């Protein structure tokens, strides 16, 4: 056992990299919304980057640890504390048995991630541990966490002592105004040149209709040639549909697997994490790029993720000690 939930937050669920290969059966990926924060959290605690973690939205959980552990907190800024003392995000942290992890009010972003050394141990359903709430499968009994739920983990890859002190070189921040790169299509020919220009040169505000299924935006109407209804066809995460009101809808991890609105563009996978951290009132702008550019960005980001992690032991102290009149430089690292 690792931790017992004291308060669960609005929506705290177990997620991993997603349930692949089942869209033809109407089962979406349902993976972590912010794949960057999710994978970073795993790498920081020595897990495989696809291990199961907790994802929480808008409010954060609190929990009491039932055994020693090493954790990492990434994503939205929730001001985490252990036993009332502030602790850093984007860094691996030792937490002792009996300690309480809690969070403050959301300061920026939308979704936080909490990884545990070893990864969360829940049953695998359709090749994944992630939670698909609408079907009630995966994760923790197919649902969001509740008071008194017990989080258990698998054995960590290294000793807890070896995992302490990993941190990311550059902490990500969330400003509330974002530029998201997209590849036009597959139905961009349904829209006038003016409509395409409007889409790529306007600011759109996130409405209160946003969740793990999708983001409905509001802004200048995108002009079509003769409507945007199409025969229903497959949809992928990141598809941007334009319904009759001319405003974009971005399909996200729990989104439907087919739809009948023309798709003007698709958010590149490397920028989906930006959408995932936006919330009501935030501003999103779209920038068109080629699919070749999108592939190059994906390769670059994949190669740089692990290199972004550095090891920096916590509580490192330097002392100058004299023994029999001879000076010695002593370094003490307080690990536990």
């Amino acid at each position: 056992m690792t931790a017992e939930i004291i308060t669960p937050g609005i929506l705290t669920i177990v997620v991993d990299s997603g349930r692949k290969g089942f869209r033809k059966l109407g089962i979406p990926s349902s993976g972590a919304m912010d794949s960057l924060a999710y994978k970073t959290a795993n790498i920081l605690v020595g897990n495989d980057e696809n291990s199961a973690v907790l994802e929480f939205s808008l409010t954060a959980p609190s929990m009491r640890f039932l055994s020693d552990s090493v954790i990492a907190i990434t994503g939205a800024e929730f001001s985490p504390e252990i036993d009332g003392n502030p602790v850093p995000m984007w860094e691996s942290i030792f937490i002792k048995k009996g300690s309480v992890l809690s969070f403050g009010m959301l300061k920026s972003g939308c979704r936080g991630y909490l990884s545990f050394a070893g990864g969360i141990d829940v049953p695998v359903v359709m090749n994944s541990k992630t939670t698909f709430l609408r079907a009630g499968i995966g994760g923790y009994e197919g649902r969001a966490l509740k008071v008194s739920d017990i989080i258990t983990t698998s054995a960590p890859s290294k000793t807890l002592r070896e995992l302490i002190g990993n941190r990311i070189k550059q902490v990500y921040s969330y400003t509330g105004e974002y530029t998201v790169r997209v590849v036009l299509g597959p139905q961009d020919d349904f829209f006038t040149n003016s409509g395409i220009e409007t889409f790529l040169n306007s600011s759109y505000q996130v409405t209160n209709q946003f969740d793990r299924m999708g983001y409905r935006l509001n802004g200048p109407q995108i002009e079509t040639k003769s409507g945007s209804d199409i025969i229903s066809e497959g949809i992928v995460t990141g598809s941007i549909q334009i319904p009759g009101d001319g405003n974009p809808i971005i399909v996200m991890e729990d989104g439907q697997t087919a739809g009948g609105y023309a798709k003007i563009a698709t958010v590149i996978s490397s920028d989906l994490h930006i959408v995932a951290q936006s919330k009501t009132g935030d501003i999103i702008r779209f920038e068109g790029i080629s699919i070749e550019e999108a592939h190059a960005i994906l390769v670059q980001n994949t190669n740089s993720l692990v290199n972004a992690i550095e090891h920096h032991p916590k509580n490192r102290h330097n002392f100058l000690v004299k023994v029999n009149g001879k000076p010695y430089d002593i370094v003490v690292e307080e690990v536990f």
Side-chain angles (χ1 to χ4, degrees), residues 34 36-38 40-41 44 72-77 88-93 166-174 277 309:
D34 181 344
L36 176 62
Y38 156 71
T40 302
L44 285 169
I73 305 158
T74 62
E77 173 56 64
M89 296 181 58
W90 303 93
E91 186 170 321
S92 60
I93 304 167
N166 295 324
R167 69 181 185 185
I168 194 166
K169 296 176 183 177
Q170 178 181 356
V171 175
Y172 296 91
S173 60
Y174 309 103
Q277 291 295 352
I309 308 296

Side-chain angles (χ1 to χ4, degrees), residues 92-114:
S92 60
I93 304 167
F94 174 73
I95 184 166
K96 65 182 179 180
K97 179 180 178 180
S99 290
V100 172
L101 172 66
S102 59
F103 297 83
M105 297 292 290
L106 175 64
K107 290 185 176 181
S108 65
C110 179
R111 303 175 204 279
Y113 293 85
L114 172 59

Side-chain angles (χ1 to χ4, degrees), residues 264-295:
I264 193 170
T266 304
V267 177
I268 67 171
S269 58
S270 298
D271 281 3
L272 282 170
H273 70 98
I274 298 174
V275 181
Q277 291 295 352
S278 62
K279 57 187 180 297
T280 301
D282 287 354
I283 300 297
I284 292 178
R285 302 178 183 89
F286 299 105
E287 175 187 347
I289 64 172
S290 69
I291 194 167
E292 291 79 14
E293 289 173 307
H295 288 164

